[in-house]
Amino acid sequence: MDYKFNNLHNGGNIMTSPLDKFYKKSINERIESLMSAGFIEHEHISNFKQSFSLPEGVSNHMVENVVGTYQLPLGLGMNFLINSKDYLVPMATEEPSVIAAASFGAKTVRAGGGFTTTQEKRWMIGQVILKNVEDPEAMKEKVLAHYDDLVERAHAAHPSIVKRGGGVKDIDVRIIESNPEEHTPEFFVVHLYVDTKEAMGANIVNTMAEAIKDALEIITGGTALMGILSNYATEALVTASFRLDPSLLSRSGLEGTEVRDRIVEASQIASVDPYRAVTHNKGIMNGVEAAVLATGNDTRATSAGIHAYASQSGQYRSLSKYYVDEHGYLVGTLTIPLAIGTVGGSISIHPGAQFTQHILGDPDAKTLAGIVCAVGLAQNFSALRALVTDGIQRGHMALQAKSLAMTAGAVGVEIDVISRKLRRSQPMNLTQAEALLEEYRNQS
C-alpha cells in the first residue's frame, strides 16, 4: 500500500482538526481522521485494517514452527514536535497508559518548543575475539599496522555497503586481562567500526567480522574464538532534550517551580539508587520499546545495549538527567545507544512496520533514532511529573478499570460504563466488575 502525505511533515501543525481530540474518537473515526489529514490514502476502513494482517506466507518464513500470529495494540503517540517537525509516533504495546503518558508529556514539551535530538554518528561494532595471543601490546601495534589490508578484506566480504557509502570507518584493539575471580583467561579483541547506512546492519557486520578472522590469526599468532556483532552500540549514541519554563509545570495546586525541583530530585535519586533506577529506566523503555517494536526493529538488541549503557559507571544508574539551567528552566536530557534501521529484516516484509515507517514520513535511520529517543524522554518526563504530584496510580487506575471491565466480559459501550462505575466503587477488583456488569445488564 502506498501512503500519501501532505505538507504535515514539513512544519505544518498536525495537532489541529481533524486530529483534534484524537483519543476521544472511535477506532474507525481515528482512521478516517488520518485519511482526512493526509497521512494515509482514502480507502474503505475494512481494507485499511486488513492491510495490517501478517500473511501466513510471510510469517511462516520469518520464524520457525509457526502456528499463528500474536497481535498487540498499535496506537499513535500524539503532540510530538521534534527538531521543529511534527510527528505522529506509532507505538506497539500491551501496557495501558504508556501511549497516553507519552502524548501528555509531548504536549507539555511542545508548548516549550519541542524536543531537540542529535546523533552525530551511527557506527555498528563488530568484534573478533582471539585467545592465546603472546605479547598482546606488540600484537596490537601489528594489527593496526595491517589496517588497510583488514579493511580491504572486510569490504570484499560485503562490497554493496561500500557502494552505498558505508563500510569500515575504524579499527581498534582491546586487551581484556585475565580475571582470577571469574576464572577467565586474557582475551584479545579487535573492533571493527562499520557504517551500515540505513540498515541495522547485523548481517553486514557479522559477515565482515568473520571475513577477517583468519587474517587476524596469522597476524597475531592467536586463535580466533568468534567474529560477531556487538549490540552495545556505543558508537551510535542518540540524545534527546527539552527545556521548559516552570510555568508550564504547575499541577495539583503546586507551583511550577516546586514541580520542577521535585522532578530534578526524582532524577537525582534514580542516579544514585539502582533500585529506583531500574524502575525509572523501565519507564523510559516503555516508550522506547513500543516505538522500536512498531517500526519493525529489534527490541531485544536495543534493550540489552541501553541497559548496559546505564551500567557504564560500574553501577546501574538513570539514563535521563534533569537539571535547572541559569534561567530557572527545567532541562531534560536522555542519551542512549540506539542502532536501529529503516530497511532490512522484518521492516521490509511486515505490513505493520511498513505502515509505521510511512506515517513517520519515511525517516532516515538517524532521524528515526531521534524520534524513538524523544518518545522515551517524553514517557519518562510524564511519569516523573505524575510521581511527584498526583502519584502514578491516578492515571493507571483509570486504565486498570477498563481492563477489569473487559476481563469481566464487558463489550462495546459497556466497557466505558462499567469502568466509570468501578472507579467510583470499592474495592476495584474483578468481582466488583462482574457484579456491576450483571447489574447493568439486568437494568438494560
Side-chain angles (χ1 to χ4, degrees):
M1 178 183 296
D2 294 325
Y3 296 96
K4 297 181 180 179
F5 297 86
N6 55 22
N7 65 353
L8 298 175
H9 287 287
N10 297 311
N13 187 353
I14 64 174
M15 295 308 134
T16 57
S17 182
L19 299 179
D20 189 38
K21 292 182 171 48
F22 196 74
Y23 68 100
K24 290 187 175 180
K25 301 178 187 290
S26 68
I27 291 177
N28 285 358
E29 288 171 340
R30 291 171 191 152
I31 295 171
E32 289 172 347
S33 296
L34 292 174
M35 292 178 183
S36 298
F39 276 86
I40 55 179
E41 66 182 13
H42 286 272
E43 62 172 325
H44 197 281
I45 288 176
S46 62
N47 292 339
F48 173 80
K49 291 179 178 178
Q50 183 62 31
S51 70
F52 281 89
S53 299
L54 184 63
E56 284 189 359
V58 175
S59 63
N60 193 41
H61 293 284
M62 290 179 68
V63 299
E64 303 75 36
N65 304 330
V66 169
V67 295
T69 56
Y70 184 92
Q71 294 182 322
L72 286 173
L74 179 68
L76 295 177
M78 309 296 287
N79 309 312
F80 279 89
L81 180 63
I82 304 170
N83 296 333
S84 301
K85 294 180 68 175
D86 285 298
Y87 291 95
L88 299 179
V89 183
M91 301 172 68
T93 180
E94 87 296 344
E95 184 172 338
S97 82
V98 167
I99 297 174
S103 299
F104 185 55
K107 185 176 182 179
T108 303
V109 171
R110 180 185 187 85
F115 296 93
T116 300
T117 69
T118 57
Q119 188 176 43
E120 294 183 3
K121 60 183 176 181
R122 185 183 169 279
W123 296 351
M124 296 299 294
I125 301 172
Q127 293 185 297
V128 180
I129 301 170
L130 299 103
K131 60 181 183 177
N132 302 327
V133 174
E134 300 292 335
D135 196 356
E137 290 294 342
M139 288 304 103
K140 176 178 180 178
E141 296 303 318
K142 191 173 181 182
V143 166
L144 296 178
H146 284 79
Y147 180 98
D148 292 340
D149 175 59
L150 292 169
V151 171
E152 183 178 347
R153 289 173 182 269
H155 285 173
H158 212 299
S160 61
I161 191 62
V162 181
K163 293 178 181 178
R164 297 198 296 272
V168 178
K169 299 302 178 183
D170 201 2
I171 294 177
D172 195 12
V173 176
R174 294 170 56 237
I175 299 169
I176 300 177
E177 297 181 354
S178 61
N179 188 324
E181 290 186 4
E182 297 295 329
H183 307 289
T184 57
E186 183 178 74
F187 289 105
F188 188 90
V189 185
V190 178
H191 278 198
L192 285 178
Y193 299 95
V194 185
D195 182 353
T196 59
K197 307 310 290 182
E198 292 303 301
M200 183 272 181
N203 289 333
I204 297 170
V205 175
N206 288 340
T207 299
M208 288 183 171
E210 291 186 350
I212 65 171
K213 283 197 308 181
D214 291 347
L216 286 170
E217 285 186 324
I218 293 171
I219 293 169
T220 65
T223 302
L225 183 63
M226 68 180 76
I228 185 67
L229 162 85
S230 171
N231 289 121
Y232 191 22
T234 54
E235 301 303 310
L237 297 177
V238 58
T239 297
S241 63
F242 66 78
R243 181 173 177 267
L244 290 178
D245 187 314
S247 64
L248 296 169
L249 300 173
S250 59
R251 187 174 181 180
S252 301
L254 295 174
E255 294 290 334
T257 52
E258 183 174 355
V259 175
R260 176 201 65 192
D261 294 344
R262 289 186 177 197
I263 290 173
V264 171
E265 289 166 350
S267 170
Q268 291 169 340
I269 182 61
S271 178
V272 296
D273 177 18
Y275 287 89
R276 174 60 200 139
V278 168
T279 310
H280 179 102
N281 290 345
K282 187 268 183 185
I284 293 171
M285 298 307 293
N286 279 344
V288 169
E289 289 199 5
V292 169
L293 180 60
T295 56
N297 278 281
D298 187 343
T299 57
R300 288 83 54 205
T302 55
S303 180
I306 290 170
H307 288 299
Y309 189 70
S311 304
Q312 63 176 319
S313 69
Q315 176 181 314
Y316 190 88
R317 301 183 186 276
S318 56
L319 291 157
S320 62
K321 306 294 180 187
Y322 294 83
Y323 62 91
V324 179
D325 72 7
E326 65 273 17
H327 300 290
Y329 282 54
L330 175 70
V331 177
T333 67
L334 172 64
T335 298
I336 52 177
L338 198 58
I340 53 178
T342 60
V343 298
S346 64
I347 299 169
S348 301
I349 59 176
H350 195 295
Q354 292 169 21
F355 165 78
T356 58
Q357 294 281 347
H358 285 307
I359 206 168
L360 286 169
D362 293 308
D364 61 24
K366 284 187 175 181
T367 301
L368 180 59
I371 293 169
V372 172
C373 190
V375 173
L377 183 57
Q379 178 75 31
N380 179 235
F381 165 61
S382 185
L384 291 185
R385 182 167 58 171
L387 279 169
V388 301
T389 55
D390 298 324
I392 204 71
Q393 284 301 88
R394 180 177 178 181
H396 279 193
M397 294 312 289
L399 292 162
Q400 174 66 7
K402 281 192 174 184
S403 178
L404 286 171
M406 289 188 287
T407 303
V411 295
V413 296
E414 293 177 336
I415 297 172
D416 287 331
V417 172
I418 301 306
S419 63
R420 283 197 299 270
K421 289 178 177 290
L422 267 176
R423 293 199 300 272
R424 295 194 298 265
S425 63
Q426 291 294 332
M428 197 176 85
N429 56 28
L430 181 57
T431 300
Q432 181 75 347
E434 291 171 339
L436 289 170
L437 179 60
E438 182 178 2
E439 178 184 346
Y440 175 77
R441 287 176 173 175
N442 288 337
Q443 293 174 349
S444 299

PDB file of all heavy atoms in Angstrom, residues 203-224:
ATOM      1  N   ASN A 203      23.785  -8.421   9.855  1.00  0.00           N
ATOM      2  CA  ASN A 203      24.350  -9.341   8.864  1.00  0.00           C
ATOM      3  C   ASN A 203      25.594  -8.763   8.210  1.00  0.00           C
ATOM      4  O   ASN A 203      26.563  -9.492   7.924  1.00  0.00           O
ATOM      5  CB  ASN A 203      23.297  -9.681   7.803  1.00  0.00           C
ATOM      6  CG  ASN A 203      22.192 -10.563   8.347  1.00  0.00           C
ATOM      7  OD1 ASN A 203      22.393 -11.320   9.292  1.00  0.00           O
ATOM      8  ND2 ASN A 203      21.012 -10.453   7.766  1.00  0.00           N
ATOM      9  N   ILE A 204      25.578  -7.466   7.949  1.00  0.00           N
ATOM     10  CA  ILE A 204      26.739  -6.813   7.341  1.00  0.00           C
ATOM     11  C   ILE A 204      27.955  -6.946   8.255  1.00  0.00           C
ATOM     12  O   ILE A 204      29.043  -7.366   7.823  1.00  0.00           O
ATOM     13  CB  ILE A 204      26.437  -5.329   7.077  1.00  0.00           C
ATOM     14  CG1 ILE A 204      25.300  -5.173   6.072  1.00  0.00           C
ATOM     15  CG2 ILE A 204      27.696  -4.592   6.599  1.00  0.00           C
ATOM     16  CD1 ILE A 204      24.791  -3.743   5.937  1.00  0.00           C
ATOM     17  N   VAL A 205      27.775  -6.598   9.513  1.00  0.00           N
ATOM     18  CA  VAL A 205      28.899  -6.602  10.452  1.00  0.00           C
ATOM     19  C   VAL A 205      29.371  -8.028  10.736  1.00  0.00           C
ATOM     20  O   VAL A 205      30.587  -8.284  10.803  1.00  0.00           O
ATOM     21  CB  VAL A 205      28.495  -5.888  11.758  1.00  0.00           C
ATOM     22  CG1 VAL A 205      29.606  -5.991  12.795  1.00  0.00           C
ATOM     23  CG2 VAL A 205      28.153  -4.432  11.480  1.00  0.00           C
ATOM     24  N   ASN A 206      28.440  -8.954  10.901  1.00  0.00           N
ATOM     25  CA  ASN A 206      28.841 -10.343  11.145  1.00  0.00           C
ATOM     26  C   ASN A 206      29.659 -10.892   9.983  1.00  0.00           C
ATOM     27  O   ASN A 206      30.661 -11.595  10.189  1.00  0.00           O
ATOM     28  CB  ASN A 206      27.597 -11.211  11.353  1.00  0.00           C
ATOM     29  CG  ASN A 206      26.922 -10.946  12.681  1.00  0.00           C
ATOM     30  OD1 ASN A 206      27.527 -10.403  13.602  1.00  0.00           O
ATOM     31  ND2 ASN A 206      25.660 -11.335  12.786  1.00  0.00           N
ATOM     32  N   THR A 207      29.237 -10.575   8.768  1.00  0.00           N
ATOM     33  CA  THR A 207      29.966 -11.053   7.587  1.00  0.00           C
ATOM     34  C   THR A 207      31.380 -10.489   7.561  1.00  0.00           C
ATOM     35  O   THR A 207      32.356 -11.205   7.281  1.00  0.00           O
ATOM     36  CB  THR A 207      29.213 -10.660   6.305  1.00  0.00           C
ATOM     37  OG1 THR A 207      27.919 -11.267   6.308  1.00  0.00           O
ATOM     38  CG2 THR A 207      29.974 -11.107   5.061  1.00  0.00           C
ATOM     39  N   MET A 208      31.516  -9.204   7.859  1.00  0.00           N
ATOM     40  CA  MET A 208      32.842  -8.579   7.841  1.00  0.00           C
ATOM     41  C   MET A 208      33.741  -9.118   8.952  1.00  0.00           C
ATOM     42  O   MET A 208      34.937  -9.366   8.731  1.00  0.00           O
ATOM     43  CB  MET A 208      32.692  -7.059   7.987  1.00  0.00           C
ATOM     44  CG  MET A 208      32.124  -6.371   6.763  1.00  0.00           C
ATOM     45  SD  MET A 208      32.076  -4.566   6.992  1.00  0.00           S
ATOM     46  CE  MET A 208      31.655  -4.036   5.336  1.00  0.00           C
ATOM     47  N   ALA A 209      33.164  -9.305  10.139  1.00  0.00           N
ATOM     48  CA  ALA A 209      33.964  -9.805  11.259  1.00  0.00           C
ATOM     49  C   ALA A 209      34.488 -11.207  10.959  1.00  0.00           C
ATOM     50  O   ALA A 209      35.662 -11.515  11.238  1.00  0.00           O
ATOM     51  CB  ALA A 209      33.131  -9.805  12.537  1.00  0.00           C
ATOM     52  N   GLU A 210      33.646 -12.039  10.415  1.00  0.00           N
ATOM     53  CA  GLU A 210      34.080 -13.404  10.093  1.00  0.00           C
ATOM     54  C   GLU A 210      35.112 -13.409   8.971  1.00  0.00           C
ATOM     55  O   GLU A 210      35.973 -14.291   8.912  1.00  0.00           O
ATOM     56  CB  GLU A 210      32.879 -14.261   9.735  1.00  0.00           C
ATOM     57  CG  GLU A 210      31.967 -14.541  10.935  1.00  0.00           C
ATOM     58  CD  GLU A 210      30.845 -15.506  10.605  1.00  0.00           C
ATOM     59  OE1 GLU A 210      30.663 -15.812   9.403  1.00  0.00           O
ATOM     60  OE2 GLU A 210      30.162 -15.960  11.546  1.00  0.00           O
ATOM     61  N   ALA A 211      35.019 -12.423   8.073  1.00  0.00           N
ATOM     62  CA  ALA A 211      35.928 -12.384   6.920  1.00  0.00           C
ATOM     63  C   ALA A 211      37.364 -12.070   7.308  1.00  0.00           C
ATOM     64  O   ALA A 211      38.294 -12.372   6.549  1.00  0.00           O
ATOM     65  CB  ALA A 211      35.427 -11.353   5.910  1.00  0.00           C
ATOM     66  N   ILE A 212      37.594 -11.455   8.474  1.00  0.00           N
ATOM     67  CA  ILE A 212      38.974 -11.091   8.849  1.00  0.00           C
ATOM     68  C   ILE A 212      39.532 -11.993   9.944  1.00  0.00           C
ATOM     69  O   ILE A 212      40.659 -11.776  10.395  1.00  0.00           O
ATOM     70  CB  ILE A 212      39.065  -9.617   9.278  1.00  0.00           C
ATOM     71  CG1 ILE A 212      38.274  -9.359  10.562  1.00  0.00           C
ATOM     72  CG2 ILE A 212      38.592  -8.694   8.148  1.00  0.00           C
ATOM     73  CD1 ILE A 212      38.504  -7.967  11.146  1.00  0.00           C
ATOM     74  N   LYS A 213      38.775 -13.004  10.365  1.00  0.00           N
ATOM     75  CA  LYS A 213      39.257 -13.879  11.437  1.00  0.00           C
ATOM     76  C   LYS A 213      40.559 -14.574  11.079  1.00  0.00           C
ATOM     77  O   LYS A 213      41.514 -14.581  11.871  1.00  0.00           O
ATOM     78  CB  LYS A 213      38.193 -14.927  11.797  1.00  0.00           C
ATOM     79  CG  LYS A 213      37.055 -14.435  12.637  1.00  0.00           C
ATOM     80  CD  LYS A 213      36.287 -15.585  13.291  1.00  0.00           C
ATOM     81  CE  LYS A 213      35.850 -16.630  12.300  1.00  0.00           C
ATOM     82  NZ  LYS A 213      35.078 -17.727  12.946  1.00  0.00           N
ATOM     83  N   ASP A 214      40.601 -15.179   9.908  1.00  0.00           N
ATOM     84  CA  ASP A 214      41.804 -15.943   9.518  1.00  0.00           C
ATOM     85  C   ASP A 214      43.029 -15.041   9.439  1.00  0.00           C
ATOM     86  O   ASP A 214      44.120 -15.414   9.883  1.00  0.00           O
ATOM     87  CB  ASP A 214      41.574 -16.630   8.172  1.00  0.00           C
ATOM     88  CG  ASP A 214      40.560 -17.754   8.258  1.00  0.00           C
ATOM     89  OD1 ASP A 214      40.219 -18.166   9.386  1.00  0.00           O
ATOM     90  OD2 ASP A 214      40.083 -18.202   7.194  1.00  0.00           O
ATOM     91  N   ALA A 215      42.842 -13.850   8.882  1.00  0.00           N
ATOM     92  CA  ALA A 215      43.965 -12.921   8.755  1.00  0.00           C
ATOM     93  C   ALA A 215      44.477 -12.507  10.135  1.00  0.00           C
ATOM     94  O   ALA A 215      45.690 -12.385  10.346  1.00  0.00           O
ATOM     95  CB  ALA A 215      43.540 -11.690   7.963  1.00  0.00           C
ATOM     96  N   LEU A 216      43.558 -12.305  11.080  1.00  0.00           N
ATOM     97  CA  LEU A 216      43.969 -11.909  12.420  1.00  0.00           C
ATOM     98  C   LEU A 216      44.709 -13.029  13.141  1.00  0.00           C
ATOM     99  O   LEU A 216      45.623 -12.773  13.935  1.00  0.00           O
ATOM    100  CB  LEU A 216      42.749 -11.460  13.232  1.00  0.00           C
ATOM    101  CG  LEU A 216      42.186 -10.083  12.843  1.00  0.00           C
ATOM    102  CD1 LEU A 216      40.846  -9.822  13.526  1.00  0.00           C
ATOM    103  CD2 LEU A 216      43.174  -8.966  13.187  1.00  0.00           C
ATOM    104  N   GLU A 217      44.337 -14.266  12.874  1.00  0.00           N
ATOM    105  CA  GLU A 217      45.077 -15.390  13.465  1.00  0.00           C
ATOM    106  C   GLU A 217      46.515 -15.399  12.954  1.00  0.00           C
ATOM    107  O   GLU A 217      47.459 -15.628  13.721  1.00  0.00           O
ATOM    108  CB  GLU A 217      44.382 -16.705  13.125  1.00  0.00           C
ATOM    109  CG  GLU A 217      43.121 -16.946  13.921  1.00  0.00           C
ATOM    110  CD  GLU A 217      42.534 -18.324  13.661  1.00  0.00           C
ATOM    111  OE1 GLU A 217      42.623 -18.799  12.498  1.00  0.00           O
ATOM    112  OE2 GLU A 217      42.006 -18.932  14.601  1.00  0.00           O
ATOM    113  N   ILE A 218      46.689 -15.130  11.666  1.00  0.00           N
ATOM    114  CA  ILE A 218      48.036 -15.118  11.083  1.00  0.00           C
ATOM    115  C   ILE A 218      48.838 -13.943  11.640  1.00  0.00           C
ATOM    116  O   ILE A 218      50.020 -14.080  12.009  1.00  0.00           O
ATOM    117  CB  ILE A 218      47.946 -15.030   9.546  1.00  0.00           C
ATOM    118  CG1 ILE A 218      47.325 -16.315   8.981  1.00  0.00           C
ATOM    119  CG2 ILE A 218      49.328 -14.792   8.938  1.00  0.00           C
ATOM    120  CD1 ILE A 218      46.998 -16.230   7.503  1.00  0.00           C
ATOM    121  N   ILE A 219      48.215 -12.792  11.753  1.00  0.00           N
ATOM    122  CA  ILE A 219      48.914 -11.591  12.231  1.00  0.00           C
ATOM    123  C   ILE A 219      49.340 -11.743  13.686  1.00  0.00           C
ATOM    124  O   ILE A 219      50.476 -11.396  14.062  1.00  0.00           O
ATOM    125  CB  ILE A 219      48.011 -10.349  12.072  1.00  0.00           C
ATOM    126  CG1 ILE A 219      47.782 -10.038  10.590  1.00  0.00           C
ATOM    127  CG2 ILE A 219      48.621  -9.128  12.782  1.00  0.00           C
ATOM    128  CD1 ILE A 219      46.692  -9.000  10.341  1.00  0.00           C
ATOM    129  N   THR A 220      48.457 -12.272  14.525  1.00  0.00           N
ATOM    130  CA  THR A 220      48.710 -12.295  15.975  1.00  0.00           C
ATOM    131  C   THR A 220      49.293 -13.611  16.473  1.00  0.00           C
ATOM    132  O   THR A 220      49.844 -13.668  17.578  1.00  0.00           O
ATOM    133  CB  THR A 220      47.408 -12.045  16.749  1.00  0.00           C
ATOM    134  OG1 THR A 220      46.498 -13.137  16.515  1.00  0.00           O
ATOM    135  CG2 THR A 220      46.759 -10.729  16.324  1.00  0.00           C
ATOM    136  N   GLY A 221      49.143 -14.669  15.702  1.00  0.00           N
ATOM    137  CA  GLY A 221      49.558 -15.980  16.174  1.00  0.00           C
ATOM    138  C   GLY A 221      48.579 -16.568  17.176  1.00  0.00           C
ATOM    139  O   GLY A 221      48.835 -17.638  17.747  1.00  0.00           O
ATOM    140  N   GLY A 222      47.471 -15.904  17.383  1.00  0.00           N
ATOM    141  CA  GLY A 222      46.475 -16.388  18.328  1.00  0.00           C
ATOM    142  C   GLY A 222      45.414 -17.238  17.656  1.00  0.00           C
ATOM    143  O   GLY A 222      45.483 -17.548  16.456  1.00  0.00           O
ATOM    144  N   THR A 223      44.416 -17.624  18.455  1.00  0.00           N
ATOM    145  CA  THR A 223      43.318 -18.447  17.959  1.00  0.00           C
ATOM    146  C   THR A 223      42.019 -17.655  18.040  1.00  0.00           C
ATOM    147  O   THR A 223      41.660 -17.147  19.114  1.00  0.00           O
ATOM    148  CB  THR A 223      43.161 -19.725  18.801  1.00  0.00           C
ATOM    149  OG1 THR A 223      44.405 -20.446  18.768  1.00  0.00           O
ATOM    150  CG2 THR A 223      42.048 -20.597  18.263  1.00  0.00           C
ATOM    151  N   ALA A 224      41.337 -17.538  16.904  1.00  0.00           N
ATOM    152  CA  ALA A 224      40.084 -16.787  16.879  1.00  0.00           C
ATOM    153  C   ALA A 224      38.966 -17.613  17.502  1.00  0.00           C
ATOM    154  O   ALA A 224      38.742 -18.766  17.130  1.00  0.00           O
ATOM    155  CB  ALA A 224      39.731 -16.412  15.449  1.00  0.00           C
TER     156      ALA A 224
END
